[in-house]
Amino acid sequence: MRLALTIAGSDSGGGAGIQADLKTFSAHGVFGMSVITSVTAQNTKAVIGVEDVSPEMVYLQIKAVFEDLPPDAVKIGMVSSESIIRSVARGLDEFGPEKVVLDPVMISKSGHALLKPNAVEALKKELLPRCLVVTPNIPEAEALSGMSIKGVEDMKRAAERIMSYGCRAVVVKGGHLEGDALDVFFNGREFRELKSEKICTRNTHGTGCTFSSAVAANLALGYDLFTSVRLAKEYITVAIKNSLNIGGGVGPVHHFYELYRRSGLNV
Ligand SMILES: Nc1ncnc2c1ncn2[C@@H]1O[C@H](COP(=O)(O)OP(=O)(O)O)[C@@H](O)[C@H]1O
Ligand SMILES: Cc1ncc(COP(=O)(O)O)c(N)n1
């Protein structure tokens, strides 16, 4: 059995964060584990409360997992504050996982800040150099690169700038731009574009969490980095096609058994 760990925030509504990550791991047939950084009181409409877990407790969860159940890949999502970022960096240094996917979560689909603005620098300095791939959406790529992004050429320039912080690859996700859902992969040598038709739905809660967890699950299964990203793009596209019109706001994407889908069953 392959093991994957998510280090992220809890979403009580079940659409994003830890909950989306564990559903994604299960759908890929990977055993999921979690380190909770923050508890959010959240639904499809709003985030009505956020309470961070103490930095020491974040570190202890990482230690507990790694000392007994070393993961084949790690995904990092909401990290909330500078002190939590430092705890995560400490854990990564101590246990040295090779396959780390960082989704630099900043603002929820419902518009609530999930990373303190003064923690962006710590994210860049402490976490980017320790990860294999970082998966920003357009506003996150703008914040990390310090440039505005209007189209695919800007996505490529931003990816180059983000690489300079020391990660080994970047996927700039284009879901927030007009036109096709086009993502740009860059590994320091070549750019590759991953494209799908834009699905017309407002139910995209959890897309970024699901995409990055699918990358981590595929890495845990032993796929190379680009294949892991390509399969994650397929997974998120089907999960958005099957997204759920539940709740009164931005509904969640739907997870299903990847293995069943691959064998042609319509789950
Ligand atoms: N309406 C959509 N139709 C198809 N793919 C989408 C749609 N919205 C987002 N995606 C894809 O979902 C993934 C996550 O996208 P994005 O919305 O950009 O990130 P985030 O959820 O972090 O804001 C990307 O692969 C993106 O291309
Ligand atoms: C705990 C947590 N983590 C991440 C997100 C981002 O997901 P989205 O951008 O789909 O709201 C979220 N809303 N909540």
Side-chain angles (χ1 to χ4, degrees):
M1 179 51 104
R2 299 302 172 102
L3 282 61
L5 169 66
T6 170
I7 302 176
S10 166
D11 169 4
S12 52
I18 289 280
Q19 288 77 1
D21 300 343
L22 291 177
K23 290 172 194 182
T24 304
F25 293 159
S26 289
H28 284 76
V30 168
F31 181 76
M33 301 169 294
S34 61
V35 166
I36 299 185
T37 54
S38 190
V39 178
T40 74
Q42 178 176 181
N43 56 28
T44 62
K45 295 194 276 193
V47 177
I48 61 170
V50 176
E51 192 166 302
D52 289 347
V53 171
S54 74
E56 180 62 12
M57 192 58 192
V58 169
Y59 168 74
L60 287 176
Q61 292 176 79
I62 294 174
K63 181 177 163 70
V65 169
F66 275 88
E67 285 184 346
D68 188 41
L69 301 154
D72 296 291
V74 178
K75 171 250 159 91
I76 303 174
M78 175 184 178
V79 280
S80 204
S81 70
E82 193 175 335
S83 51
I84 290 180
I85 289 170
R86 289 192 195 289
S87 279
V88 173
R90 176 182 168 205
L92 295 178
D93 280 353
E94 188 169 334
F95 299 105
E98 276 170 31
K99 298 172 182 176
V100 180
V101 181
L102 172 65
D103 181 20
V105 171
M106 294 184 187
I107 299 176
S108 74
K109 292 266 150 53
S110 52
H112 198 283
L114 298 175
L115 180 72
K116 299 193 172 59
N118 65 4
V120 175
E121 282 308 306
L123 188 85
K124 282 188 199 165
K125 291 208 180 79
E126 304 284 338
L127 294 187
L128 262 70
R130 292 176 168 88
C131 68
L132 174 61
V133 58
V134 56
T135 63
N137 64 19
I138 296 294
E140 291 157 357
E142 290 181 328
L144 293 174
S145 66
M147 59 176 274
S148 88
I149 301 176
K150 300 270 178 285
V152 64
E153 287 312 311
D154 293 339
M155 290 165 82
K156 291 181 178 173
R157 299 294 80 77
E160 285 173 335
R161 288 195 189 189
I162 293 167
M163 282 291 283
S164 72
Y165 287 99
C167 51
R168 278 164 285 160
V170 182
V171 181
V172 179
K173 300 171 297 186
H176 294 241
L177 292 177
E178 296 287 306
D180 286 334
L182 173 71
D183 305 339
V184 169
F185 171 88
F186 182 54
N187 60 7
R189 294 181 303 280
E190 55 170 353
F191 291 101
R192 299 183 72 168
E193 295 178 12
L194 298 119
K195 191 157 86 173
S196 72
E197 267 178 38
K198 181 70 72 65
I199 299 154
C200 184
T201 175
R202 76 167 176 159
N203 300 320
T204 56
H205 186 49
T207 50
C209 306
T210 299
F211 177 77
S212 53
S213 297
V215 174
N218 289 321
L219 288 170
L221 289 168
Y223 292 106
D224 65 48
L225 179 57
F226 183 71
T227 305
S228 296
V229 171
R230 186 176 57 71
L231 292 174
K233 176 72 172 167
E234 282 180 22
Y235 183 82
I236 190 60
T237 305
V238 180
I240 297 171
K241 271 191 192 139
N242 290 289
S243 61
L244 303 173
N245 201 17
I246 57 174
V250 179
V253 301
H254 188 40
H255 302 268
F256 53 89
Y257 293 100
E258 178 72 356
L259 297 175
Y260 290 0
R261 184 180 74 80
R262 283 188 193 164
S263 56
L265 287 172
N266 196 10
V267 182

